[in-house]
Amino acid sequence: MEPESYYRDHLVACRAQLNGVDAPTPEETDKHMEGIQAFAKQALAGASAAMLFTSSMEAAVAYPIFAQQNYANPREYTGKIVCANCHLASKTIDVKLPQAVLPDTIFKMEIEVPAKYAKRRQPLADGSKGPMNIGAIAVMPEGWKLAPKDRLPKPLKKEMKGLAWAPYSKEYPNIVVAGPVPGETYEKMVLPVLSPDPNTDDKILFGKGIFYFGGNRGRGQVYPEGNQSNNNQFMAAATGTISAIDGLKVSITTPSGEVKTQECLVGADIVVQVGDEVTKDEPLTTNPNVGGFGQEEKECVLQDMNRVYAYCAFAFSCFIAQLSFVLKKKQFEKVQLAEGF
């Protein structure tokens, strides 16, 4: 690669050729170079994300990779999963998992993210409509992790339909994410999990563990940087009269004569006309969002077989005691009948 000073010299030379008309100063050129460097760093950080969704560029995607890049831990102290910071709409999910499992055992969890994926469409970044992709995240207790591929049974592999799960980070192998993937294919996402073994790890204890799940459909309403996406319904900035509509810009004249312009993004349809009276926060466009994010909590018991054996022994002893009591009572009744009582 050529040194950055080479590009700066070219920018300065181009400025000289423009004869100073709308040309940047050398200081502005330096700022421009800094912007290029910052963009290059962001592009490098997003390279892994690009590898995930380049095959889904024509769909309204749901990116768990955004959470991985911006949050060290995806679950906040309040219990909220950070996906809800961008996906503001709420949609339910359904999770199924066993009530109890044995140590060092592979089992499956099913995360269902229901929606009418064959019919519903969401706006893409350019405003056109596309099918919804989905993503999911599972926060498991410490020690639980994604099942290794070499131990997956063939029937379980078939149920997964090629779905790829990945650890959230090296620090949190007990948190896994998947997506974006087509919603029509993976409405029900199968997660293979390997339970820990307390016999080989002193930090792991038998007992009940709590699992936290999240599932999102389509695009969010806010980007990680804080700016709005076009998957939003836009509201009136003030109370007044619609004085002009220039493309996606709606001008509102307030009773005091002040003109406020509300810029709407591509993807939604403007539902007001020039001359309409509107109040503040009244909808100016339709709501293009048909997706949303949902959370759910489930419990699973890491069962010790010795406890099962002890319970069986206790239950059997109770059965023998009750049976002996009933037999003894029957014998006592027969004695009473024989003696004439």
Side-chain angles (χ1 to χ4, degrees):
M1 296 178 61
E2 297 176 277
E4 63 180 38
S5 60
Y6 173 81
Y7 297 105
R8 183 181 184 278
D9 294 342
H10 271 260
L11 290 173
V12 174
C14 291
R15 175 182 178 274
Q17 293 178 0
L18 291 174
N19 296 324
V21 179
D22 294 331
T25 64
E27 292 76 11
E28 292 174 341
T29 302
D30 291 335
K31 290 183 180 180
H32 182 66
M33 290 301 303
E34 292 176 0
I36 292 176
Q37 292 176 353
F39 176 78
K41 292 179 180 179
Q42 292 179 356
L44 182 61
S48 58
M51 292 295 293
L52 289 176
F53 59 77
T54 47
S55 60
S56 305
M57 291 300 287
E58 297 302 323
V61 290
Y63 296 130
I65 191 73
F66 284 161
Q68 290 176 276
Q69 290 178 342
N70 293 277
Y71 300 94
N73 191 326
R75 185 172 179 270
E76 298 178 350
Y77 293 108
T78 59
K80 182 180 71 172
I81 296 178
V82 296
C83 301
N85 293 336
C86 295
H87 296 264
L88 306 182
S90 178
K91 296 283 186 179
T92 59
I93 63 173
D94 186 25
V95 181
K96 298 178 182 179
L97 69 159
Q99 187 272 335
V101 295
L102 297 176
D104 195 32
T105 303
I106 293 179
F107 65 99
K108 71 174 181 179
M109 300 179 178
E110 293 183 357
I111 306 173
E112 187 174 358
V113 190
K116 298 179 180 179
Y117 296 104
K119 297 181 180 179
R120 294 184 176 178
R121 294 291 185 270
Q122 270 195 341
L124 307 180
D126 61 358
S128 60
K129 301 287 185 175
M132 285 193 296
N133 282 3
I134 62 175
I137 182 170
V139 182
M140 300 179 288
E142 187 176 355
W144 302 70
K145 59 183 180 180
L146 187 66
K149 294 182 180 180
D150 56 351
R151 292 185 56 181
L152 287 178
K154 288 185 178 180
L156 185 53
K157 286 184 179 179
K158 187 176 181 180
E159 288 186 50
M160 292 178 64
K161 301 179 183 178
L163 179 64
W165 292 87
Y168 188 81
S169 63
K170 293 182 180 179
E171 293 77 14
Y172 296 102
N174 58 312
I175 304 176
V176 294
V177 294
V181 292
E184 292 188 50
T185 305
Y186 297 102
E187 183 174 349
K188 183 179 293 185
M189 310 174 78
V190 177
L191 169 62
V193 179
L194 176 64
S195 60
D197 189 357
N199 299 317
T200 59
D201 190 349
D202 298 336
K203 297 181 181 180
I204 306 300
L205 301 175
F206 289 104
K208 180 174 63 178
I210 303 178
F211 296 74
Y212 306 94
F213 301 91
N216 54 323
R217 313 154 178 80
R219 301 174 62 220
Q221 285 71 53
V222 181
Y223 289 113
E225 295 80 9
N227 53 314
Q228 281 186 319
S229 73
N230 62 328
N231 190 28
N232 276 287
Q233 184 177 32
F234 294 90
M235 310 296 179
T239 299
T241 304
I242 304 296
S243 56
I245 299 178
D246 182 11
L248 296 173
K249 294 182 179 181
V250 179
S251 298
I252 303 173
T253 302
T254 63
S256 62
E258 182 182 2
V259 177
K260 292 190 176 183
T261 301
Q262 173 69 54
E263 184 172 359
C264 307
L265 300 181
V266 292
D269 298 325
I270 297 177
V271 296
V272 295
Q273 298 178 353
V274 175
D276 290 350
E277 298 287 339
V278 295
T279 59
K280 187 177 181 180
D281 297 329
E282 182 178 338
L284 298 179
T285 66
T286 57
N287 188 359
N289 180 40
V290 293
F293 176 75
Q295 287 187 219
E296 191 167 344
E297 296 182 12
K298 290 289 183 177
E299 297 178 352
C300 184
V301 177
L302 183 60
Q303 192 60 266
D304 185 0
M305 282 306 299
N306 293 326
R307 295 182 181 181
V308 178
Y309 296 148
Y311 172 76
C312 292
F314 173 75
F316 183 72
S317 63
C318 290
F319 170 75
I320 296 299
Q322 291 292 327
L323 180 63
S324 301
F325 175 77
V326 172
L327 294 177
K328 188 64 177 178
K329 183 179 179 182
K330 292 291 185 182
Q331 184 184 20
F332 181 73
E333 291 176 351
K334 289 181 180 180
V335 171
Q336 285 183 322
L337 289 173
E339 294 179 354
F341 291 100

